[in-house]
Amino acid sequence: MTIFKKIINKEIPANILYEDDFCLAFHDINPKAPIHFLVIPKTTEIDKLSSAKKEHKDLLGHLMITAKELAEKEGLKDFRVVINNGEGVGQTVFHLHIHVLGGRDFTWPPG
Ligand code: 5GP
């Protein structure tokens, strides 16, 4: 079981921003920006974006809309949305998650 499943199950605590039947959003424990939260699906079916199927289309849309609504709620006009897909690009938790980061300037391209 991943650490995110334990957060979904409330087996370990997290600073939760939002929750509904399909997703959960919580602040990252090791923030890389003044505001850094994660939006995750409650299902464990998708370990990374590569595993998503056409049937997940509505869920993925829901995660994106939730991410931008929460960014707005946090007062962010500009923000960065990141999905790390695979170990080679830094994914460490194998339960799909969208990073939302803001509150500072960012450079492009990311490292
Ligand atoms: P990844 O590197 O897989 O894209 O992102 C995983 C993120 O989850 C990291 O930014 C890491 O700080 C965060 N994270 C890992 N364990 C926990 C935890 O127990 N609680 C919270 N809130 N965030 C975590």
Side-chain angles (χ1 to χ4, degrees), residues 3-4 7 12-15 26-32 36 38 82-86 89-95 97 99:
I3 195 98
F4 289 176
I7 290 174
I12 64 165
N15 190 347
F26 52 93
H27 291 281
D28 197 291
I29 204 167
N30 183 17
K32 302 295 189 293
H36 182 182
L38 305 171
V82 173
I83 297 174
N84 292 321
N85 186 83
V89 298
Q91 186 176 2
T92 56
V93 180
F94 286 82
H95 180 121
H97 50 284
H99 293 262

Side-chain angles (χ1 to χ4, degrees), residues 8 22-24 39-44 46 59 63 95-97:
I8 291 166
F22 305 103
C23 75
L24 184 68
V39 184
I40 71 171
K42 284 194 166 169
T43 177
T44 55
I46 314 171
L59 176 60
L63 297 177
H95 180 121
L96 177 68
H97 50 284

Side-chain angles (χ1 to χ4, degrees), residues 17 27-28 31-37 70-71 73-76 79-80 100-104 106:
L17 277 163
H27 291 281
D28 197 291
K32 302 295 189 293
I35 296 175
H36 182 182
F37 62 88
L70 292 176
K73 234 182 209 166
E74 291 293 300
L76 297 174
F79 52 91
R80 182 164 288 176
V100 180
L101 304 111
R104 66 166 171 83
F106 287 81

